[in-house]
């Protein structure tokens, strides 16, 4: 019998963990939601970005054994350029390569002459001990601290009425406003996972609804939600907008009402963070976002 590993919790693991373990989960013991109707109003959204320091970043992009390089050449029919670290004459370039290979990353506000050319023309560097891997590929990235964040967050009320006739709805969006493709890292049901709104005044919360069980590795075991501890990468191309709709359910819902029905009127906040980068080992940025809205009784 196949078994999937789950971990507890309603929010996604934004670091994109790839291992798995089992933990217990808990839920609200009884529904405190109102059975009346609501109207969604006064939605605002805000973001902040935690970016890596500016300058240049040299990072490991591939780790091969000598046999693996040979097999890759035979598979592709292309010869790989391999340079021993002892053959690099420039002291600054050699030191940058060594640090990147030994620690996984080299950073500097300035770029040594010849480093960019070396990275562009050499496939693998050898001669630096990194365990079982003898051939290491490297990638050079320039981080501009003044560049506007590539990924923008937005939120829109798409159905303001929460009633017996149907749920209200809020769309959460990510837009790539940059000139290059970006990769968003998240857990299952990317990119936002399970979305909860917490009362600003009371501290209570409710779950905004999507078909989580159908979309990702989520399940409900009778006592709480469990999810696979997996990582997901969602690509977003320039000018592309990724949108997900979340519903605010009425008191008559059959979708776990003790969790999804709002506790009552008031101001609620959605808050979380995600990480994105250009991929290929490029330094990541953390985007923290908030969406605040009001539920009014009608």
């Amino acid at each position: 019998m196949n078994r999937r590993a789950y971990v507890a919790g309603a929010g996604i693991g934004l670091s994109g963990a790839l291992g798995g373990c089992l933990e217990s989960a808990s839920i609200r013991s009884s529904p405190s939601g109102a059975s009346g109707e609501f109207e969604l109003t006064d939605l605002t959204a805000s973001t902040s970005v935690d970016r890596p320091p500016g300058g240049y970043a040299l990072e490991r992009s591939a780790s091969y054994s000598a046999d693996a390089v040979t097999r890759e050449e035979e598979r592709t029919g292309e010869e790989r350029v391999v340079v021993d670290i002892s053959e690099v004459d420039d002291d600054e370039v050699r030191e940058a390569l060594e640090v990147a290979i030994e620690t996984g990353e080299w950073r500097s506000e300035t770029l040594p002459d010849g480093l960019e050319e070396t990275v562009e023309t050499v496939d693998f560097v050898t001669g630096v001990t990194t365990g079982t891997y003898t051939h290491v590929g490297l990638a050079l990235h320039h981080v501009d601290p003044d560049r506007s964040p590539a990924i923008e967050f937005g939120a829109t009320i798409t159905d303001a009425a929460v009633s017996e006739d149907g749920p209200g709805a809020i769309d959460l969006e990510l837009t790539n406003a940059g000139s290059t493709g970006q990769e968003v890292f998240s857990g299952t049901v990317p990119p936002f996972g399970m979305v909860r709104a917490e009362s600003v005044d009371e501290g209570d919360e409710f779950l905004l609804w999507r078909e989580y069980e159908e979309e990702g590795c989520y399940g409900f075991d009778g006592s709480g939600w469990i999810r696979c501890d997996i990582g997901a990468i969602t690509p977003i191309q320039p000018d592309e907008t990724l949108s997900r709709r979340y519903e605010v359910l009425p008191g008559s819902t059959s979708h776990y009402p003790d969790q999804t029905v709002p506790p009552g009127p008031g101001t609620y906040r959605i808050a979380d963070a995600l990480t994105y980068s250009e991929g290929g080992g490029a330094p990541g940025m953390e985007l923290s976002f908030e969406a605040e809205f009001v539920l009014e009784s009608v």
Side-chain angles (χ1 to χ4, degrees):
M1 179 177 66
N2 294 328
R3 300 183 63 185
R4 293 187 294 181
Y6 288 91
V7 297
I12 60 175
L14 291 167
S15 62
L18 298 177
C21 61
L22 290 172
E23 298 178 5
S24 61
S26 60
I27 61 174
R28 242 166 35 198
S29 59
S30 61
S32 58
S35 59
E37 300 175 343
F38 298 104
E39 182 179 4
L40 287 157
T41 65
D42 299 331
L43 176 65
T44 60
S46 62
T47 60
S48 63
V49 175
D50 183 10
R51 68 183 74 208
Y56 297 89
L58 182 65
E59 299 184 335
R60 289 198 300 250
S61 60
S63 297
Y64 280 57
S65 66
D67 289 342
V69 172
T70 300
R71 290 194 298 268
E72 184 70 9
E73 290 177 331
E74 293 173 349
R75 184 184 67 84
T76 63
E78 298 178 359
E79 184 178 355
R80 303 300 179 183
V81 179
V82 179
V83 171
D84 191 281
I85 193 71
S86 63
E87 300 174 7
V88 179
D89 295 328
D90 188 277
D91 292 341
E92 287 188 298
V93 173
R94 185 172 60 254
E95 180 182 357
L97 297 175
E98 289 176 339
V99 170
I101 293 173
E102 290 174 349
T103 68
E105 177 184 78
W106 167 90
R107 288 186 179 275
S108 175
E109 294 183 0
T110 59
L111 187 65
D113 291 339
L115 179 59
E116 185 173 14
E117 180 182 359
T118 299
V119 173
E120 289 179 351
T121 58
V122 173
D123 294 307
F124 296 100
V125 177
T126 65
V128 181
T129 302
T130 58
T132 59
Y133 300 110
T134 58
H135 292 57
V136 178
L138 297 163
L140 180 65
H141 306 281
H142 178 218
V143 181
D144 183 357
D146 299 321
R147 187 176 67 176
S148 299
I151 299 297
E152 298 178 349
F153 169 78
T156 306
I157 295 174
T158 49
D159 193 335
V162 182
S163 70
E164 300 304 308
D165 296 330
I170 295 176
D171 282 8
L172 303 184
E173 298 179 342
L174 296 176
T175 299
N176 184 353
S179 59
T180 58
Q182 300 291 325
E183 294 180 346
V184 178
F185 303 91
S186 67
T188 186
V189 191
F192 300 108
M194 275 188 153
V195 176
R196 292 184 178 270
E198 182 178 0
S199 171
V200 172
D201 300 318
E202 302 297 331
D204 209 343
E205 65 178 20
F206 69 93
L207 177 67
L208 279 75
W209 183 248
R210 283 179 66 85
E211 294 293 343
Y212 296 111
E213 293 160 296
E214 296 180 6
E215 294 182 338
C217 196
Y218 273 102
F220 189 79
D221 68 355
S223 61
W225 288 96
I226 50 178
R227 65 174 175 84
C228 292
D229 187 20
I230 62 174
I233 297 176
T234 304
I236 307 181
Q237 300 306 314
D239 298 323
E240 181 183 1
T241 295
L242 186 66
S243 181
R244 296 288 186 268
R245 181 159 297 176
Y246 297 88
E247 295 179 337
V248 180
L249 301 181
S252 59
T253 183
S254 60
H255 295 302
Y256 313 102
D258 57 342
Q259 296 182 66
T260 59
V261 176
T267 302
Y268 291 86
R269 180 182 297 123
I270 299 166
D272 212 328
L274 53 81
T275 301
Y276 68 90
S277 78
E278 294 182 0
M285 298 188 183
E286 184 177 79
L287 175 70
S288 298
F289 59 87
E290 288 188 2
E292 194 168 285
F293 60 92
V294 175
L295 276 181
E296 295 182 351
S297 295
V298 294

